Amino acid sequence: VIQPTVPTVEQPMPISGFEISSSTHPDQGKWYSNNDPVFQIKFPSDARELNLVLSRNEKSTPQIKYVPPISEKILEDVDEGVWYLHANYRGRSGLSSIIKYKFQVDTGLPENLEVVRIDPNDLTNPSPKFTLRASDSLSGIDRYEAKIDNEEWVKLSADDSGNYALPNQTPGKKQLTIRAYDQAGNYIEYSQELQIDPMP
């Protein structure tokens, strides 16, 4: 009886000294506004071939071959969203396992920034409160910052009711500027006149 031939399957060898890092997107959990990522690739000295693929799929197989292997990969004008750079290499012992590097790109600005003063009839409050709302469909809103006239920007914190208070102000007419930042550091800006009356 002739036994059918079973094709041999190349088993990936363990990964040692093989890693991907990024000088432009160093934190795989963060969002970045830079859509020209640069990656550094370290591989063992016996590697003679490197395979890469850029994919939105977390489990893609590298298909683009580099002989000899490259130690840096530059991508340009990458679309927004979550991406994975997958890599494996071929060495003396065969094909390595696949490693991946996740990076996230958000180049768009937040939208629909609304700034509403609470109790606008009480102009004597030196620390007026505002409701602040903005939206960002990709990375989400990270924080709000405010500036009075030409002073430094300050980060605003929400109270238990979700309202945001300005630091104490001296009486007078001022220019208030509010920024809403997304997780990638993009921001939208809104300005309005702010009146603080002296206490009776």
Side-chain angles (χ1 to χ4, degrees), residues 8-22:
T8 58
V9 178
E10 190 172 15
Q11 295 297 322
M13 61 184 180
I15 299 172
S16 179
F18 185 35
E19 65 180 36
I20 302 173
S21 60
S22 175

Side-chain angles (χ1 to χ4, degrees), residues 12-149:
M13 61 184 180
I15 299 172
S16 179
F18 185 35
E19 65 180 36
I20 302 173
S21 60
S22 175
S23 55
T24 55
H25 297 63
D27 188 336
Q28 297 186 57
K30 285 187 62 176
W31 287 88
Y32 294 90
S33 59
N34 183 351
N35 64 344
D36 297 325
V38 179
F39 301 93
Q40 292 72 43
I41 305 166
K42 293 182 180 179
F43 41 80
S45 58
D46 70 316
R48 62 178 188 268
E49 167 193 310
L50 178 71
N51 304 300
L52 298 176
V53 71
L54 176 66
S55 173
R56 293 190 185 274
N57 189 338
E58 195 173 357
K59 296 182 178 180
S60 294
T61 300
Q63 299 171 347
I64 302 172
K65 185 181 299 185
Y66 296 88
V67 180
I70 58 174
S71 58
E72 183 176 77
K73 180 62 178 177
I74 301 173
L75 301 175
E76 296 181 345
D77 200 22
V78 175
D79 289 340
E80 291 184 315
V82 180
W83 292 94
Y84 300 89
L85 181 66
H86 303 265
N88 63 5
Y89 73 90
R90 188 176 298 277
R92 284 193 300 267
S93 302
L95 198 63
S96 77
S97 299
I98 297 172
I99 62 173
K100 65 178 183 290
Y101 192 93
K102 176 184 177 182
F103 66 101
Q104 303 177 115
V105 175
D106 181 359
T107 60
L109 301 181
E111 298 178 325
N112 307 318
L113 175 57
E114 297 180 5
V115 179
V116 179
R117 184 170 180 172
I118 298 173
D119 196 7
N121 297 321
D122 180 16
L123 299 182
T124 61
N125 182 1
S127 181
K129 290 185 176 183
F130 295 82
T131 58
L132 304 178
R133 293 189 183 88
S135 60
D136 188 89
S137 59
L138 195 54
S139 63
I141 297 298
D142 176 60
R143 68 189 187 279
Y144 297 97
E145 293 187 1
K147 183 174 75 168
I148 301 294
D149 294 331

